[in-house]
PDB file of all heavy atoms in Angstrom:
ATOM      1  N   GLN A 141     -96.919 -31.593 -10.024  1.00 95.00           N
ATOM      2  CA  GLN A 141     -96.517 -32.752  -9.232  1.00 95.00           C
ATOM      3  C   GLN A 141     -97.061 -32.685  -7.801  1.00 95.00           C
ATOM      4  O   GLN A 141     -96.747 -33.548  -6.985  1.00 95.00           O
ATOM      5  CB  GLN A 141     -94.989 -32.851  -9.176  1.00 95.00           C
ATOM      6  CG  GLN A 141     -94.340 -33.167 -10.511  1.00 95.00           C
ATOM      7  CD  GLN A 141     -92.826 -33.217 -10.430  1.00 95.00           C
ATOM      8  OE1 GLN A 141     -92.207 -32.396  -9.748  1.00 95.00           O
ATOM      9  NE2 GLN A 141     -92.218 -34.161 -11.122  1.00 95.00           N
ATOM     10  N   ASP A 142     -97.900 -31.693  -7.516  1.00 96.00           N
ATOM     11  CA  ASP A 142     -98.373 -31.431  -6.156  1.00 96.00           C
ATOM     12  C   ASP A 142     -99.850 -31.805  -6.059  1.00 96.00           C
ATOM     13  O   ASP A 142    -100.680 -31.275  -6.802  1.00 96.00           O
ATOM     14  CB  ASP A 142     -98.176 -29.945  -5.833  1.00 96.00           C
ATOM     15  CG  ASP A 142     -98.308 -29.636  -4.350  1.00 96.00           C
ATOM     16  OD1 ASP A 142     -98.878 -30.460  -3.618  1.00 96.00           O
ATOM     17  OD2 ASP A 142     -97.844 -28.561  -3.941  1.00 96.00           O
ATOM     18  N   ILE A 143    -100.188 -32.691  -5.138  1.00 95.00           N
ATOM     19  CA  ILE A 143    -101.580 -33.130  -5.023  1.00 95.00           C
ATOM     20  C   ILE A 143    -102.427 -32.166  -4.191  1.00 95.00           C
ATOM     21  O   ILE A 143    -103.639 -32.335  -4.086  1.00 95.00           O
ATOM     22  CB  ILE A 143    -101.675 -34.551  -4.422  1.00 95.00           C
ATOM     23  CG1 ILE A 143    -101.041 -34.609  -3.037  1.00 95.00           C
ATOM     24  CG2 ILE A 143    -101.018 -35.559  -5.367  1.00 95.00           C
ATOM     25  CD1 ILE A 143    -101.220 -35.955  -2.342  1.00 95.00           C
ATOM     26  N   ASP A 144    -101.794 -31.140  -3.593  1.00 93.00           N
ATOM     27  CA  ASP A 144    -102.521 -30.071  -2.885  1.00 93.00           C
ATOM     28  C   ASP A 144    -101.877 -28.752  -3.303  1.00 93.00           C
ATOM     29  O   ASP A 144    -101.021 -28.215  -2.604  1.00 93.00           O
ATOM     30  CB  ASP A 144    -102.454 -30.272  -1.373  1.00 93.00           C
ATOM     31  CG  ASP A 144    -103.240 -29.220  -0.601  1.00 93.00           C
ATOM     32  OD1 ASP A 144    -103.898 -28.374  -1.246  1.00 93.00           O
ATOM     33  OD2 ASP A 144    -103.182 -29.229   0.651  1.00 93.00           O
ATOM     34  N   ASP A 145    -102.307 -28.210  -4.431  1.00 95.00           N
ATOM     35  CA  ASP A 145    -101.617 -27.085  -5.058  1.00 95.00           C
ATOM     36  C   ASP A 145    -101.562 -25.842  -4.188  1.00 95.00           C
ATOM     37  O   ASP A 145    -100.597 -25.070  -4.256  1.00 95.00           O
ATOM     38  CB  ASP A 145    -102.279 -26.734  -6.395  1.00 95.00           C
ATOM     39  CG  ASP A 145    -102.049 -27.809  -7.443  1.00 95.00           C
ATOM     40  OD1 ASP A 145    -101.189 -28.670  -7.227  1.00 95.00           O
ATOM     41  OD2 ASP A 145    -102.734 -27.783  -8.480  1.00 95.00           O
ATOM     42  N   ASP A 146    -102.600 -25.604  -3.369  1.00 92.00           N
ATOM     43  CA  ASP A 146    -102.621 -24.382  -2.555  1.00 92.00           C
ATOM     44  C   ASP A 146    -102.295 -24.650  -1.086  1.00 92.00           C
ATOM     45  O   ASP A 146    -102.357 -23.743  -0.258  1.00 92.00           O
ATOM     46  CB  ASP A 146    -103.960 -23.664  -2.673  1.00 92.00           C
ATOM     47  CG  ASP A 146    -105.151 -24.559  -2.318  1.00 92.00           C
ATOM     48  OD1 ASP A 146    -104.924 -25.728  -1.923  1.00 92.00           O
ATOM     49  OD2 ASP A 146    -106.297 -24.100  -2.458  1.00 92.00           O
ATOM     50  N   ASN A 147    -101.983 -25.911  -0.770  1.00 90.00           N
ATOM     51  CA  ASN A 147    -101.566 -26.283   0.583  1.00 90.00           C
ATOM     52  C   ASN A 147    -102.592 -25.874   1.637  1.00 90.00           C
ATOM     53  O   ASN A 147    -102.235 -25.407   2.724  1.00 90.00           O
ATOM     54  CB  ASN A 147    -100.200 -25.674   0.916  1.00 90.00           C
ATOM     55  CG  ASN A 147     -99.511 -26.372   2.088  1.00 90.00           C
ATOM     56  OD1 ASN A 147     -99.703 -27.558   2.303  1.00 90.00           O
ATOM     57  ND2 ASN A 147     -98.718 -25.625   2.840  1.00 90.00           N
ATOM     58  N   ASP A 148    -103.871 -26.079   1.321  1.00 83.00           N
ATOM     59  CA  ASP A 148    -104.927 -25.735   2.278  1.00 83.00           C
ATOM     60  C   ASP A 148    -105.452 -26.945   3.023  1.00 83.00           C
ATOM     61  O   ASP A 148    -106.418 -26.846   3.785  1.00 83.00           O
ATOM     62  CB  ASP A 148    -106.072 -25.005   1.573  1.00 83.00           C
ATOM     63  CG  ASP A 148    -106.778 -25.874   0.535  1.00 83.00           C
ATOM     64  OD1 ASP A 148    -106.301 -27.001   0.267  1.00 83.00           O
ATOM     65  OD2 ASP A 148    -107.791 -25.411  -0.028  1.00 83.00           O
ATOM     66  N   GLY A 149    -104.799 -28.094   2.799  1.00 77.00           N
ATOM     67  CA  GLY A 149    -105.225 -29.311   3.482  1.00 77.00           C
ATOM     68  C   GLY A 149    -106.292 -30.085   2.755  1.00 77.00           C
ATOM     69  O   GLY A 149    -106.681 -31.180   3.194  1.00 77.00           O
ATOM     70  N   ILE A 150    -106.774 -29.531   1.645  1.00 80.00           N
ATOM     71  CA  ILE A 150    -107.792 -30.213   0.834  1.00 80.00           C
ATOM     72  C   ILE A 150    -107.137 -30.602  -0.483  1.00 80.00           C
ATOM     73  O   ILE A 150    -106.566 -29.756  -1.178  1.00 80.00           O
ATOM     74  CB  ILE A 150    -109.005 -29.315   0.571  1.00 80.00           C
ATOM     75  CG1 ILE A 150    -109.590 -28.802   1.883  1.00 80.00           C
ATOM     76  CG2 ILE A 150    -110.078 -30.078  -0.206  1.00 80.00           C
ATOM     77  CD1 ILE A 150    -110.663 -27.753   1.704  1.00 80.00           C
ATOM     78  N   LEU A 151    -107.196 -31.867  -0.825  1.00 88.00           N
ATOM     79  CA  LEU A 151    -106.558 -32.329  -2.051  1.00 88.00           C
ATOM     80  C   LEU A 151    -107.121 -31.600  -3.261  1.00 88.00           C
ATOM     81  O   LEU A 151    -108.316 -31.289  -3.322  1.00 88.00           O
ATOM     82  CB  LEU A 151    -106.748 -33.837  -2.216  1.00 88.00           C
ATOM     83  CG  LEU A 151    -106.107 -34.731  -1.157  1.00 88.00           C
ATOM     84  CD1 LEU A 151    -106.405 -36.196  -1.468  1.00 88.00           C
ATOM     85  CD2 LEU A 151    -104.617 -34.490  -1.062  1.00 88.00           C
ATOM     86  N   THR A 152    -106.245 -31.347  -4.221  1.00 92.00           N
ATOM     87  CA  THR A 152    -106.658 -30.667  -5.453  1.00 92.00           C
ATOM     88  C   THR A 152    -107.848 -31.370  -6.083  1.00 92.00           C
ATOM     89  O   THR A 152    -108.812 -30.723  -6.516  1.00 92.00           O
ATOM     90  CB  THR A 152    -105.478 -30.616  -6.446  1.00 92.00           C
ATOM     91  OG1 THR A 152    -104.449 -29.787  -5.900  1.00 92.00           O
ATOM     92  CG2 THR A 152    -105.913 -30.054  -7.783  1.00 92.00           C
ATOM     93  N   MET A 153    -107.825 -32.692  -6.143  1.00 91.00           N
ATOM     94  CA  MET A 153    -108.904 -33.424  -6.796  1.00 91.00           C
ATOM     95  C   MET A 153    -110.249 -33.231  -6.101  1.00 91.00           C
ATOM     96  O   MET A 153    -111.303 -33.387  -6.721  1.00 91.00           O
ATOM     97  CB  MET A 153    -108.567 -34.917  -6.878  1.00 91.00           C
ATOM     98  CG  MET A 153    -108.491 -35.633  -5.557  1.00 91.00           C
ATOM     99  SD  MET A 153    -108.261 -37.419  -5.747  1.00 91.00           S
ATOM    100  CE  MET A 153    -106.732 -37.500  -6.646  1.00 91.00           C
ATOM    101  N   ASP A 154    -110.216 -32.864  -4.808  1.00 85.00           N
ATOM    102  CA  ASP A 154    -111.458 -32.665  -4.052  1.00 85.00           C
ATOM    103  C   ASP A 154    -111.982 -31.241  -4.151  1.00 85.00           C
ATOM    104  O   ASP A 154    -113.079 -30.949  -3.657  1.00 85.00           O
ATOM    105  CB  ASP A 154    -111.253 -33.019  -2.580  1.00 85.00           C
ATOM    106  CG  ASP A 154    -111.004 -34.505  -2.359  1.00 85.00           C
ATOM    107  OD1 ASP A 154    -111.486 -35.298  -3.186  1.00 85.00           O
ATOM    108  OD2 ASP A 154    -110.332 -34.864  -1.379  1.00 85.00           O
ATOM    109  N   GLU A 155    -111.206 -30.336  -4.778  1.00 86.00           N
ATOM    110  CA  GLU A 155    -111.637 -28.944  -4.891  1.00 86.00           C
ATOM    111  C   GLU A 155    -112.025 -28.563  -6.315  1.00 86.00           C
ATOM    112  O   GLU A 155    -112.369 -27.410  -6.568  1.00 86.00           O
ATOM    113  CB  GLU A 155    -110.523 -28.005  -4.417  1.00 86.00           C
ATOM    114  CG  GLU A 155    -110.243 -28.072  -2.930  1.00 86.00           C
ATOM    115  CD  GLU A 155    -109.299 -26.976  -2.475  1.00 86.00           C
ATOM    116  OE1 GLU A 155    -108.081 -27.115  -2.688  1.00 86.00           O
ATOM    117  OE2 GLU A 155    -109.794 -25.979  -1.914  1.00 86.00           O
TER     118      GLU A 155
END
Side-chain angles (χ1 to χ4, degrees):
Q141 293 178 320
D142 194 342
I143 59 175
D144 182 4
D145 291 346
D146 55 3
N147 199 30
D148 64 353
I150 305 172
L151 296 180
T152 294
M153 66 174 60
D154 293 333
E155 292 189 281

